[in-house]
Amino acid sequence: EAQVTQNPRYLITVTGKKLTVTCSQNMNHEYMSWYRQDPGLGLRQIYYSMNVEVTDKGDVPEGYKVSRKEKRNFPLILESPSPNQTSLYFCASSIDRASTDTQYFGPGTRLTVL
Amino acid sequence: AQSVTQLDSHVSVSEGTPVLLRCNYSSSYSPSLFWYVQHPNKGLQLLLKYTSAATLVKGINGFEAEFKKSETSFHLTKPSAHMSDAAEYFCVHLSGGYNKLIFGAGTRLAVHP
């Protein structure tokens, strides 16, 4: 089954404790991205990647890092989480940059930073 | 700057009555516009998309949207609501650089028996 998976689905952590949210897709997609969803703000893009070893900042990259060492994986790293990073996070992928109109979304990761 | 405005944060309808979710966009050129749906505790799913072909776009689950350039609108409609339509709906614009989607704030649709 074609899908985007994220782990963990739920995470409660404390300020300053490094964490990684994994994202994996099995569709051989080139383009992957991370979004955060906050009430009243819709989804905002954090980082995106157009292919292996090619990443770039989205609209709200501060406090986040990403890597793209393999085509299928695109982990989101919070080196020193803060409470304002409490949010619902979505990973998404599409065939390529030109097909970002049809993105496949993961199920989401709900992060709480205390 | 490109933007998307969803005019209602919450919409409540009775089952079997029409649904109207309103969206206005801001763009200096012909836009690509979409509606996504998010059911509780689920990821987002593409409902329909407009890419400058027909102005009336049909999507899944009986939804459709009409692109009106003169009104800069892309409202989502459905003739008869089902309980399963209760979800959050996002109007989305594809940026000119073709590398990201710009989301509206979302409209939460409630459907009552």
Side-chain angles (χ1 to χ4, degrees):
Chain A
E1 179 191 356
Q3 61 183 348
V4 178
T5 57
Q6 296 177 227
N7 282 291
R9 295 289 313 281
Y10 301 91
L11 179 60
I12 300 174
T13 189
V14 295
T15 299
K17 186 176 181 182
K18 181 180 178 179
L19 66 92
T20 299
V21 183
T22 64
C23 172
S24 182
Q25 49 91 6
N26 62 0
M27 296 168 278
N28 201 36
H29 284 173
E30 290 184 354
Y31 185 90
M32 297 185 74
S33 59
W34 276 103
Y35 297 87
R36 60 178 289 173
Q37 181 182 10
D38 301 292
L41 296 177
L43 277 73
R44 294 175 293 168
Q45 191 181 54
I46 303 170
Y47 268 95
Y48 65 92
S49 169
M50 287 191 280
N51 214 325
V52 175
E53 301 292 2
V54 181
T55 65
D56 207 348
K57 296 177 180 178
D59 297 316
V60 288
E62 293 76 23
Y64 304 95
K65 284 175 57 177
V66 293
S67 68
R68 188 89 182 276
K69 294 185 171 58
E70 306 166 282
K71 200 171 189 179
R72 64 182 293 127
N73 296 323
F74 189 45
L76 179 70
I77 303 157
L78 284 72
E79 294 270 3
S80 182
S82 61
N84 64 12
Q85 292 178 298
T86 293
S87 188
L88 180 58
Y89 292 87
F90 287 99
C91 180
S93 72
S94 61
I95 294 173
D96 53 30
R97 168 183 165 177
S99 303
T100 51
D101 59 335
T102 309
Q103 291 196 46
Y104 294 81
F105 284 82
T109 295
R110 187 167 292 282
L111 172 66
T112 301
V113 183
L114 301 174
Chain B
Q2 297 149 7
S3 68
V4 173
T5 303
Q6 292 184 242
L7 299 169
D8 307 292
S9 59
H10 291 84
V11 170
S12 182
V13 302
S14 298
E15 192 175 21
T17 64
V19 175
L20 170 63
L21 305 183
R22 299 181 295 165
C23 173
N24 286 113
Y25 69 91
S26 165
S27 175
S28 58
Y29 55 91
S30 185
S32 293
L33 295 162
F34 316 87
W35 278 97
Y36 276 81
V37 61
Q38 182 183 27
H39 290 280
N41 300 313
K42 300 279 188 183
L44 282 82
Q45 180 184 20
L46 180 66
L47 264 183
L48 51 82
K49 62 181 180 180
Y50 166 77
T51 53
S52 75
T55 56
L56 183 63
V57 183
K58 293 189 184 299
I60 60 173
N61 300 333
F63 284 94
E64 61 182 37
E66 185 171 9
F67 174 72
K68 290 187 177 180
K69 187 173 182 178
S70 61
E71 299 176 9
T72 61
S73 69
F74 190 58
H75 300 336
L76 181 71
T77 60
K78 183 173 181 177
S80 176
H82 294 162
M83 297 296 290
S84 60
D85 294 329
E88 188 152 23
Y89 293 79
F90 294 96
C91 184
V92 184
H93 181 292
L94 184 66
S95 75
Y98 295 101
N99 56 19
K100 69 177 181 181
L101 300 177
I102 300 169
F103 285 77
T107 298
R108 187 167 296 279
L109 175 65
V111 182
H112 302 288

